[in-house]
Amino acid sequence: MTSVGMVFLIFAIGQLGYGPTALYASMSLILLVSIVMWKLDLYHGIAKNVFFLVLVLPYPTHLLSNWLTPSIVGSGEGNIDEAKIVLAKESHYQKIILTEELGGNPEFPDMPEHILYLDGFVQFNSFDEQYYHACLSDIALSASRHSNHQVKKALVIGGGDGLAARNLLSHPSMDSVTVVERDRILLDLAGADSRLRMYNRDAFKNKKLTTIAEDPFHWIRTNQEVFDLIVVDLPAPHNAALARHYSAEFY
C-alpha cells in the first residue's frame, strides 16, 4: 500500500504540481478515513463536527496558500521580508518569486537589487550572480582551450534563468547551446520579463540557443546527442524530484 501511494505521489507531482497533489492526496485520505469510520459506526456526538471540519479544511487552505503567494515565500535560504515582490508565479514544479529592493549593496545604494527565488531558495542575486556563472561556464571554457579542446556545442542542465547560457553564448567559438529545463513557465518568464532579460542579455532570442522543457533526468537517458561541454546549473536538492539529479546514476 505504501509503495502504491509513493508511486501515485511521484506521478501526480509531475502532472499536477505540489499544491494540487497535496490537496488531492489529503482529500483522498480523508475519504478513506470517512469510509472506515462509517463502517465502524464511529460518528457520534462531537466526532461528526470534528470530521466535518477536517473534511472541508484542505480546499480553503489550498486556496489561501495560492492567495498569499505574492506576499509569502516558503522557508528557504533567503530573507525577503523587506523586499518588494515584482513577480510571483506558481508552476507545476515550484513557486517563482522575483524581488527588488534598493540599498541592498552598500557600494551601490541606488542600484536595484533583484533576487530570484525558487520555492523560497535563492536561485540568483543580481549583485553577485556574475561570479557564480563565470565559475560555472567561463572557467570550464578556459580550461578546455588550454587543453586544446575547442567547445562549439554546449549543454546546460537546468539554468532556466538563462544566465549560464548567456556566458556560454558570449564566446565567439560557440556554435550552439542547448538548455534542458523542466519548468516551461520559468523559461517563458526568463525570455519575457524585462528584468530577467536584462540579466540574461536576451539569451532566449539568440538563434544559437535551443530550449527543451523536459525533466533532465528523463531526457538525459534517451538523448543521443554528443556535446563538447555539459554545465549543470540546478537548484538545491530540497525535494525528491531535484535530489535525483544529484545522484551517481544521473552523472
Side-chain angles (χ1 to χ4, degrees):
M1 188 67 181
T2 303
S3 299
V4 173
M6 288 298 295
V7 170
F8 165 74
L9 288 175
I10 292 172
F11 174 78
I13 286 173
Q15 299 298 316
L16 304 173
Y18 290 102
T21 297
L23 173 66
Y24 297 137
S26 61
M27 294 187 73
S28 298
L29 290 173
I30 291 170
L31 179 61
L32 178 62
V33 171
S34 68
I35 293 173
V36 173
M37 290 181 68
W38 176 69
K39 288 288 186 180
L40 297 178
D41 193 25
L42 297 177
Y43 291 108
H44 300 292
I46 195 172
K48 289 183 179 180
N49 298 328
V50 172
F51 182 75
F52 175 77
L53 290 175
V54 173
L55 182 63
V56 300
L57 190 60
Y59 189 65
T61 302
H62 175 66
L63 294 178
L64 181 63
S65 173
N66 287 340
W67 180 65
L68 290 175
T69 294
S71 58
I72 295 178
V73 175
S75 56
E77 297 173 345
N79 180 7
I80 65 166
D81 292 340
E82 299 182 4
K84 175 185 176 184
I85 294 177
V86 293
L87 186 154
K89 195 83 172 179
E90 183 170 3
S91 70
H92 281 322
Y93 301 102
Q94 57 201 347
K95 289 182 179 180
I96 304 166
I97 302 288
L98 183 68
T99 65
E100 178 180 285
E101 63 179 317
L102 293 175
N105 188 324
E107 296 181 13
F108 305 98
D110 297 323
M111 182 183 296
E113 175 186 13
H114 291 99
I115 303 177
L116 180 68
Y117 294 86
L118 301 180
D119 279 342
F121 288 80
V122 175
Q123 178 69 5
F124 79 78
N125 182 312
S126 61
F127 279 154
D128 58 20
E129 60 84 8
Q130 298 90 347
Y131 307 115
Y132 169 78
H133 291 99
C135 293
L136 198 64
S137 303
D138 297 82
I139 290 180
L141 288 171
S142 177
S144 68
R145 284 196 298 270
H146 282 287
S147 61
N148 296 320
H149 174 69
Q150 190 173 21
V151 175
K152 293 187 175 182
K153 190 176 183 180
L155 169 67
V156 179
I157 298 295
D161 50 30
L163 300 180
R166 170 203 67 195
N167 282 33
L168 293 171
L169 290 167
S170 68
H171 292 261
S173 62
M174 192 67 63
D175 289 340
S176 68
V177 175
T178 301
V179 173
V180 180
E181 161 66 50
R182 65 175 183 162
D183 197 340
R184 168 54 66 186
I185 289 181
L186 177 58
L187 288 171
D188 291 343
L189 286 173
D193 184 83
S194 59
R195 292 157 294 238
L196 296 177
R197 286 173 53 205
M198 175 177 64
Y199 295 122
N200 63 44
R201 297 179 198 157
D202 267 335
F204 293 93
K205 292 185 178 180
N206 194 311
K207 293 181 180 180
K208 294 182 179 181
L209 183 69
T210 301
T211 59
I212 300 173
E214 194 173 331
D215 187 319
F217 191 86
H218 295 301
W219 182 85
I220 208 79
R221 281 177 163 174
T222 57
N223 171 68
Q224 298 298 318
E225 278 190 89
V226 176
F227 297 90
D228 302 314
L229 173 67
I230 300 176
V231 173
V232 180
D233 185 16
L234 291 166
H238 54 84
N239 59 51
L242 285 170
R244 295 178 307 164
H245 300 94
Y246 288 81
S247 64
E249 180 186 1
F250 177 74
Y251 279 94

